[in-house]
Amino acid sequence: MFIKNNKILKSMKKTVLMVLVSVFALQMNAQINEAGRFYITPKIGYNMANISLLDKYGADPRHGINVGISGEYAINEMISIEPGLFYSMQGSTIKVSSVKLGLNSDYLNVPILVKAYVADGLNIFAGPQVGYMMSSRLKVKTGISLIDDILGIVSDNIDLSKYENKLDVSIVVGLGYQLANGFSISASYNVGMTKVPDFGDLKWGDETFTFNPDAKNNVLQVNVGYRF
């Protein structure tokens, strides 16, 4: 009985090993990019966003999501052009004593990336991104439920977008892996190139001066997607 079970176990091990080797071989031999083909990839991911000047003073990142769709045109098996359209939650959080001030800015981003496949599905990418600010609100939290409820109603009406640039330009760099079955994963970093604040000309008595701090959006993103 023992010998029979041992033979069955060995047979199962060989079968599982053969299946794993076959799957690996298919993945290695699969053509990830077909020259001249256009692919569509819905994506969703995690954002860890901050504003460059604020993080120097101990500001915490805003955690949120990004979701959208990208198109990828394969110039050849190694090089692709990938434009996209994404909703992205950005901003920062400042803590003053026990009070948290959240700068919650939501953008519609349009990246145009050049993607290079360096080994099988492993790829690196980079390119410019232009974002349009859809909204920007100040969120205040004290940790006290009743006060937070009241402040939530008030802060929902505090529109910061009038003091910020509507357009946001950044450079995107990252790497990813495209599986032959369509699934993909990527990590990228968006380096802000334009200032977030835009207070315009401020007046103090008879004096007029400009106050536009050098604060820029920086966002770390991790995404998953499925390519059709």
Side-chain angles (χ1 to χ4, degrees):
M1 186 71 177
F2 174 77
I3 295 174
K4 184 177 181 181
N5 289 339
N6 194 35
K7 287 182 177 179
I8 293 173
L9 185 60
K10 285 183 178 180
S11 177
M12 289 177 65
K13 285 182 178 179
K14 287 182 181 179
T15 303
V16 171
L17 183 61
M18 289 177 63
V19 170
L20 289 175
V21 169
S22 299
V23 170
F24 182 75
L26 285 172
Q27 176 62 37
M28 292 292 291
N29 295 326
Q31 186 176 344
I32 299 298
N33 250 20
E34 184 180 338
R37 184 172 174 181
F38 187 79
Y39 300 92
I40 298 293
T41 307
K43 296 181 181 182
I44 187 169
Y46 161 74
N47 275 10
M48 185 170 71
N50 215 331
I51 296 177
S52 61
L53 182 64
L54 299 182
D55 63 6
K56 294 180 181 178
Y57 296 95
D60 293 324
R62 181 192 182 191
H63 302 279
I65 66 167
N66 71 85
V67 61
I69 191 168
S70 66
E72 181 179 352
Y73 176 72
I75 297 174
N76 53 45
E77 293 181 9
M78 294 183 62
I79 304 296
S80 294
I81 303 296
E82 186 178 40
L85 181 65
F86 291 87
Y87 163 76
S88 179
M89 298 171 65
Q90 298 173 200
S92 189
T93 302
I94 305 170
K95 190 173 182 180
V96 181
S97 187
S98 61
V99 178
K100 286 186 177 181
L101 303 175
L103 175 60
N104 295 351
S105 301
D106 296 335
Y107 287 83
L108 193 62
N109 291 332
V110 180
I112 301 177
L113 308 175
V114 176
K115 180 184 286 187
Y117 288 85
V118 294
D120 298 319
L122 181 65
N123 58 80
I124 57 176
F125 52 87
Q129 175 176 270
V130 177
Y132 176 78
M133 181 187 290
M134 301 170 64
S135 66
S136 185
R137 302 284 179 182
L138 179 66
K139 299 291 183 180
V140 184
K141 290 187 177 181
T142 64
I144 303 173
S145 299
L146 179 59
I147 296 177
D148 285 347
D149 289 342
I150 297 171
L151 290 175
I153 296 172
V154 175
S155 62
D156 282 343
N157 295 314
I158 300 177
D159 184 7
L160 298 179
S161 62
K162 63 181 74 173
Y163 306 112
E164 300 177 24
N165 278 315
K166 289 289 188 181
L167 290 180
D168 183 68
V169 178
S170 59
I171 299 296
V172 180
V173 293
L175 75 163
Y177 195 87
Q178 177 66 54
L179 294 170
N181 62 11
F183 286 100
S184 65
I185 185 169
S186 64
S188 61
Y189 192 72
N190 304 347
V191 183
M193 305 300 291
T194 53
K195 297 178 180 180
V196 175
D198 184 15
F199 294 105
D201 293 333
L202 303 177
K203 291 187 177 182
W204 182 267
D206 295 330
E207 298 286 333
T208 300
F209 62 95
T210 300
F211 178 65
N212 287 324
D214 190 22
K216 300 172 183 176
N217 282 310
N218 293 318
V219 187
L220 174 67
Q221 297 182 317
V222 178
N223 281 71
V224 292
Y226 187 83
R227 190 171 78 166
F228 295 94

